[in-house]
Amino acid sequence: MAGRPYSVRAADSQPQPQPLALPDSVPVPRDVPFGGTIHLTVDATDLARRVMTVRESVPVPAALAETGGDMTLLYPMWVPGDHSPTGTIEQFGGLVVKAGVAPLEWVRDTVMVSAFHVRVPKGVHALNLSFQILSPVSPEEGRVVMTPEMLNVQWNAVALYPAGYFTRQIPVQAELRLPHGWQYGTALRAHGPAGDVVTFDPVPFNTLVDSPLFAGRYFRRFDLAPGAAAPVTLNVMADKPAELAATDAQVKAHQDLVTQAGLLFGSHHYDHYDFLLALTNELGRIGLEHHRSSENSGPRGYFTEWDKTFAVRDLLAHEYTHSWNGKYRRPADLWAPNFNTPQRGSGLWVYEGQTQYWGYVLSARSGLMTEPQVIDALAEVGAMYDTRQGRTWRPLQDTTNDPVIAQRSPLSWRSWQRSEDYYSEGQLVWLDADTLIRKLSDGKHSLDDVARHFFGTNDGSFVTSTYQFADVVKALNDIQPYDWATFLRQRLDRTSTHAPLDGFTRGGYRLVYTDQPNDWVKSFAAMRHVTDFSFSLGFLVGKGGTLANVEWGSPAWQAGVTRDAQLVAVNGEAYDPDVLQDAITAARDPHAAPIALLLHMGDHYVTIAIPYHGGLRYPHLQRIPGTPDMLADILAPRH
C-alpha cells in the first residue's frame, strides 16, 4: 500500500547484523634493526614476454626462528613521489615460498591485500621466495617498462619486504641480470666484475626503492660536474642510437643546470647524482624524483630537434630540484616509516608547487630554455588557472588530496573537478611570493634567499628533514617579515574566480590574449600532437580529431560537447586544424552563422552548432610600460 511506513514485523525478532571487526594482522613498523640482509636477484632479460623473474632470500628474525610462527611480507604500495597507493600489485604473480627446498604455504591478508602471511616452522632461518612481475605488454595494461631497446627497473615493483620494521632498518643486496651488452644508469653503485649480471652494494631497503635503474641497448653518459667532489652524471638511453647525438652546447646547458642549482641552494644532499633520461616513444612516460637520481622520459628529438622540444626541458630541472625540495626537506605527513603506510599530501603546494617554480627558473638560468620561452610558458599557466571554473568551488589546498582521490585517472571534466593543481597554481603562488619579497625589501631579498635558508641546511646530509606549515612561514619571515601565514592561507583555502596573478603584474607583466599562439604553445602542441582551442571554443584536439579535453563553462561546453568525441567536420568540411582555425576567424563577424561541428560520439554522429564570435585566443605576457622587469631578474643566471 503506497505511503505506508516500513516497520519491523513482530516475527522479525532475530538480531540485526553487526559488522565483523577488521583483523589487526599486519605488524606495525618499528624503528629497530631487522637483523639480517635480504638478497634480491632480478632477471630482466625476457624482453619478448616483458616478464621480470625474481628470487629473494629473506632472513627470518632470530626470535621467530626459535619459536616458529607468522611472518608477514609486504609488497610496496605507497610509492614515493606518487603520493598515493600506486604499487603495481596487479602485476605480481607466481609466488612460491620455501624453507630450503621445502615449500611453505602462504595466505594473502584479506584487508591489506599487499600483505602475505607465511607460517614459518620452528628452526627456519630464511625464506626463499620466487615470483614474477608481469609487466605490461602494451599501454592498455599500464605503463610499459620493458621494450626491445630499454627497460626501467623500479625496485619497489620487484621486491617483498618484512612487515614490522622501518624500511631504513632493512639491509638489501640486489643483483640484476641485464640483456647481453646493455648499459645501465642508477644511483646504486656496483661491486665485482662488470658484465651482464650486476651486483650492487648493500643499501637499506628505502634507499634501494629510491634508486631506480634504466638500462638500454643504446646508451651514453655525460659528466655534468667535472671535477666536483659530488659527481653528477646524465645517463641517456634512446630507441635509436642517432637520438643520443648531443652537441657540446646542449651538454653545457645541463652542466649549467647543476651549477645554477648549487648557487641557488648553496648545498647538496647526495654523494653523487644520476639523471636517468629515456628518449623514447615506446617506454611508458615517467617523471619521478629521487634523492640521488631522476627517473624521466623525454621525446626522441630531445637533442636532435633541440629548437622544437624546449616545452619539456624544465623536466630535469624540476626533478633535480626535488633532491632538495621533497627528498631532503619533506612535509611531515608525506614521510612514512615504510611503503605500506598511508601518506597525506597537505604540503604538496610546497613539495611540488615550489619545485615547479624552480624548475622553470633554473631552466632559464641554465639555458635549457630561453627567458622568452619561460615567459611564454608562464603565460599559458596563468591563463589555464585563471579560466579554470573548478576554482570557484574547490580551493587549491583540497587538490593536494587528488593523488589519492583520482590517482591520475582520466577525468570527464578536469577543469571543473580540478586535478593536481597544486603543481602549477602553486607555482603562481610562489611567483607571487617571490615578487612580493623583492618589492618589500627594495630588491635586497628574494625567494632565492628563502630557498637557501630552508633547503640548504645540513650540507651533505642525506637524512630527510621534515617540516610543517609553521616552518614554511618562519622561513619566509626570517628573510622578509610579513604576514605570510595569511598570505598563504588566503591563496590555499579560499575559492576564487581568478588565479593568483599578482606575481605577473608586480613582476612587470600583464596577461593578454592574441590570435597567435606563443612559441611555447607551438612546441608543446607539436610534441603532444594536439591543437589547442582551450581559450576560444574551449577544447583541445588530439590525434585523429579526438577531443582530449573540454573546458567547463566554455562555448563548446555550453553547446553540449564532451571529451573523447571525435571531431569529423567543421561547417561541412573535413576537420583539420587549419579548417577549424579559419572557421573561428571567419566567425568573428557578429552576424556570422554558428560554427557547426560534426562529432562522432559513441555510436552516434551529431552536429552541434556553437554560436561563438570571439576569434582565436592564445595567452601572452605583455610588458607593462614603466615598471621594473622583475621576471627578467628572476630568470637571469646567477654568478
Side-chain angles (χ1 to χ4, degrees):
M1 295 175 62
R4 185 171 181 177
Y6 175 82
S7 61
V8 178
R9 295 179 300 170
D12 294 336
S13 58
Q14 72 268 25
Q16 291 289 316
Q18 297 296 319
L20 186 67
L22 294 176
D24 186 16
S25 53
V26 176
V28 298
R30 297 176 300 137
D31 196 9
V32 297
F34 173 55
T37 298
I38 293 175
H39 290 267
L40 174 69
T41 301
V42 179
D43 187 326
T45 59
D46 190 353
L47 301 177
R49 285 179 288 263
R50 317 264 175 121
V51 173
M52 297 189 197
T53 300
V54 182
R55 297 188 181 278
E56 191 172 356
S57 176
V58 182
V60 174
L64 180 59
E66 289 182 5
T67 61
D70 179 72
M71 185 170 179
T72 305
L73 302 174
L74 301 175
Y75 186 82
M77 291 302 295
W78 282 82
V79 180
D82 283 356
H83 319 308
S84 60
T86 56
T88 52
I89 187 70
E90 73 280 2
Q91 298 173 15
F92 180 91
L95 177 63
V96 174
V97 183
K98 293 182 178 180
V101 296
L104 300 178
E105 292 185 353
W106 59 265
V107 62
R108 190 189 299 263
D109 194 88
T110 56
V111 176
M112 184 184 289
V113 295
S114 56
F116 301 86
H117 299 283
V118 179
R119 188 67 183 178
V120 179
K122 181 179 179 179
V124 171
H125 295 279
L127 301 180
N128 297 319
L129 318 177
S130 62
F131 55 89
Q132 301 85 40
I133 300 302
L134 311 167
S135 79
V137 298
S138 79
E140 293 183 1
E141 289 91 47
R143 178 175 169 264
V144 172
V145 297
M146 302 179 78
T147 79
E149 283 74 42
M150 64 180 67
L151 61 87
N152 178 197
V153 177
Q154 296 178 311
W155 301 103
N156 51 277
V158 297
L160 297 176
Y161 71 98
Y165 301 88
F166 283 23
T167 53
R168 66 189 180 204
Q169 296 277 15
I170 305 172
V172 185
Q173 181 162 47
E175 183 177 276
L176 176 66
R177 178 177 291 276
L178 292 169
H180 178 65
W182 282 28
Q183 298 183 67
Y184 69 89
T186 178
L188 298 175
R189 291 299 181 255
H191 65 271
D196 296 340
V197 177
V198 185
T199 302
F200 295 103
D201 296 336
V203 292
F205 189 73
N206 64 328
T207 300
L208 180 74
V209 167
D210 197 41
S211 307
L213 178 144
F214 274 8
R217 187 186 309 275
Y218 309 116
F219 191 101
R220 284 189 72 183
R221 288 188 178 87
F222 302 93
D223 184 357
L224 299 189
V232 180
T233 305
L234 174 60
N235 303 271
V236 188
M237 289 125 282
D239 291 341
K240 304 290 184 182
E243 301 294 339
L244 299 172
T247 67
D248 290 345
Q250 292 165 353
V251 175
K252 178 64 162 53
H254 291 82
Q255 291 174 334
D256 287 346
L257 169 60
V258 176
T259 300
Q260 290 296 321
L263 292 171
L264 172 62
F265 296 113
S267 66
H268 59 79
H269 299 284
Y270 51 79
D271 53 353
H272 57 269
Y273 189 94
D274 284 83
F275 287 99
L276 308 181
L277 179 61
L279 306 181
T280 177
N281 290 337
E282 298 183 42
L283 197 77
R285 288 172 55 189
I286 190 168
L288 196 59
E289 67 272 10
H290 302 280
H291 208 139
R292 297 190 297 175
S293 71
S294 72
E295 187 180 10
N296 302 117
S297 58
R300 283 179 52 177
Y302 183 84
F303 292 124
T304 56
E305 298 181 1
W306 186 257
D307 292 339
K308 299 178 182 179
T309 58
F310 61 84
V312 297
R313 285 208 296 271
D314 66 302
L315 180 59
L316 293 187
H318 179 104
E319 306 300 359
Y320 190 39
T321 296
H322 268 314
S323 183
W324 291 267
N325 182 9
K327 304 309 291 187
Y328 168 58
R329 294 306 309 265
R330 191 178 311 174
D333 58 6
L334 270 177
W335 185 91
N338 69 7
F339 301 119
N340 293 74
T341 300
Q343 303 167 17
R344 293 159 291 163
S346 65
L348 283 171
W349 53 275
V350 182
Y351 183 118
E352 296 290 6
Q354 195 176 139
T355 296
Q356 188 76 353
Y357 180 69
W358 292 126
Y360 275 32
V361 170
L362 289 173
S363 294
R365 292 181 184 178
S366 64
L368 287 170
M369 296 170 68
T370 67
E371 177 188 312
Q373 288 167 350
V374 171
I375 288 176
D376 282 350
L378 288 170
E380 178 74 7
V381 170
M384 180 187 302
Y385 290 95
D386 196 47
T387 56
R388 181 154 288 182
Q389 296 292 306
R391 64 182 312 104
T392 62
W393 75 269
R394 189 178 185 190
L396 182 62
Q397 180 66 69
D398 190 57
T399 69
T400 63
N401 297 302
D402 215 64
V404 179
I405 294 171
Q407 296 191 28
R408 298 187 174 176
S409 58
L411 300 174
S412 298
W413 302 102
R414 182 186 179 115
S415 61
W416 182 248
Q417 294 163 276
R418 304 195 81 176
S419 183
E420 297 177 30
D421 290 1
Y422 52 81
Y423 273 88
S424 293
E425 188 169 325
Q427 176 185 27
L428 295 175
V429 170
W430 288 110
L431 173 62
D432 194 353
D434 195 353
T435 55
L436 183 56
I437 293 170
R438 292 166 184 267
K439 179 181 178 180
L440 293 173
S441 68
D442 293 325
K444 297 182 179 67
H445 299 297
S446 69
L447 197 64
D448 290 50
D449 302 305
V450 179
R452 179 182 288 261
H453 179 57
F454 192 65
F455 300 113
T457 57
N458 301 313
D459 184 22
S461 174
F462 305 165
V463 177
T464 298
S465 175
T466 61
Y467 62 86
Q468 300 185 55
F469 179 78
D471 300 307
V472 178
V473 171
K474 181 180 183 303
L476 287 161
N477 276 314
D478 286 346
I479 300 302
Q480 178 59 54
Y482 187 69
D483 187 1
W484 291 108
T486 298
F487 172 93
L488 293 171
R489 295 264 58 105
Q490 285 177 341
R491 288 154 180 78
L492 293 170
D493 300 337
R494 292 184 181 179
T495 57
S496 61
T497 55
H498 290 285
L501 300 183
D502 287 348
F504 289 166
T505 53
R506 199 181 294 115
Y509 291 77
R510 64 168 63 94
L511 181 64
V512 299
Y513 294 86
T514 76
D515 61 0
Q516 295 297 317
N518 67 45
D519 288 342
W520 188 92
V521 170
K522 293 177 185 177
S523 174
F524 183 86
M527 284 187 295
R528 294 286 188 260
H529 305 287
V530 298
T531 308
D532 193 353
F533 300 100
S534 298
F535 305 108
S536 52
L537 290 183
F539 52 65
L540 197 70
V541 189
K543 289 183 178 179
T546 300
L547 302 188
N549 183 56
V550 176
E551 295 291 320
W552 187 275
S554 67
W557 178 87
Q558 293 177 26
V561 177
T562 66
R563 66 164 290 161
D564 294 330
Q566 183 184 12
L567 180 53
V568 179
V570 180
N571 292 340
E573 187 175 354
Y575 166 76
D576 74 26
D578 290 339
V579 168
L580 183 52
Q581 288 169 357
D582 290 345
I584 294 172
T585 299
R588 293 193 67 173
D589 181 347
H591 303 292
I595 300 169
L597 305 181
L598 176 61
L599 299 171
H600 184 196
M601 303 173 70
D603 294 330
H604 304 278
Y605 286 86
V606 298
T607 298
I608 294 180
I610 305 179
Y612 173 72
H613 306 287
L616 294 166
R617 297 179 79 246
Y618 300 99
H620 298 262
L621 287 184
Q622 182 184 80
R623 281 284 289 125
I624 302 172
T627 61
D629 191 345
M630 282 192 190
L631 288 189
D633 292 340
I634 290 170
L635 300 177
R638 299 305 185 249
H639 301 286

